[in-house]
Amino acid sequence: MNTEIKEQCPCCGSRRIAKILWGLPDFTEDLLKKLDEGKIVLGGCMPGGADFECKDCGKRFRGELSRMD
């Protein structure tokens, strides 16, 4: 499934947004690639209230992904 982050940061307006992955991940090649590309950031063991993190200002916020086919 291809997804596109349609959100922008509510603090600075940036569209450089990464999905937050909560919990203990399985470090697959795909995950490592997405971490390197900045598409995903690790959130920690305890799930928080945020879904995304702004790559410019660091603000974490809730949002949604839109599916692209």
Side-chain angles (χ1 to χ4, degrees):
M1 172 173 77
N2 280 335
T3 55
E4 174 184 77
I5 297 174
K6 66 177 185 176
E7 297 297 327
Q8 74 181 55
C9 177
C11 188
C12 72
S14 173
R15 292 207 179 266
R16 289 181 7 100
I17 304 298
K19 175 83 172 117
I20 300 173
L21 179 62
W22 296 101
L24 182 60
D26 183 12
F27 287 96
T28 63
E29 290 295 321
D30 185 50
L31 176 60
L32 293 173
K33 180 181 176 195
K34 288 177 180 176
L35 287 167
D36 285 342
E37 293 172 348
K39 294 179 180 179
I40 292 178
V41 295
L42 300 178
C45 293
M46 299 299 292
D51 300 313
F52 300 100
E53 179 178 289
C54 177
K55 300 293 285 172
D56 289 326
C57 74
K59 170 81 174 172
R60 288 186 168 187
F61 60 96
R62 292 192 72 74
E64 63 184 63
L65 293 174
S66 64
R67 184 173 173 162
M68 295 174 47
D69 292 314

